[in-house]
Amino acid sequence: QVQLVESGGGLVQAGGSLRLSCVVSGSTFSGNAMGWYRQGSGDRRDLVATVTGAYTTTYAASVKDRFTISRDDAKNTVYLQMTGRQSEDTAVYYCNRPHAPLWGWGKGTLVTFSS
């Protein structure tokens, strides 16, 4: 069974930076594309960044040039470096595959950007 454990969230001033981590266990990590999602105050969980097994990255328009996704296959870990604005980036952040079939979701990590 695949387990996803996100960490690194917290309270950050608007304009500040934060790095999230997600450790994947129970599946082959290397070669699998990975993504970061976020869920704000609504029910929708949006994919904001992806990294392929070949290290190609893509971003949603809302985070492009402010977020950086990366991976360390030796540590089975995917990262998200964030420079955040205020309310629009405040959310619970989750990692998972960026395509079906998704793995079971982890608990996520809450990121709050404040003024």
Side-chain angles (χ1 to χ4, degrees), residues 19-71:
R19 189 177 82 156
L20 307 182
S21 301
C22 169
V23 178
V24 181
S25 60
S27 178
T28 301
F29 180 78
S30 177
N32 268 303
M34 290 295 301
W36 280 97
Y37 298 74
R38 68 183 181 187
Q39 183 171 1
S41 57
D43 293 334
R44 196 175 68 188
R45 195 170 292 181
D46 296 322
L47 179 65
V48 297
T50 66
V51 58
T52 69
Y55 298 88
T56 301
T57 59
T58 57
Y59 299 93
S62 58
V63 306
K64 190 175 172 58
D65 298 326
R66 300 188 299 114
F67 289 11
T68 301
I69 188 171
S70 61
R71 63 189 295 155

Side-chain angles (χ1 to χ4, degrees), residues 11 24 35 54 61-62 71 76 88 91-92 101:
L11 178 63
V24 181
S62 58
R71 63 189 295 155
N76 283 11
E88 65 190 83
V92 179

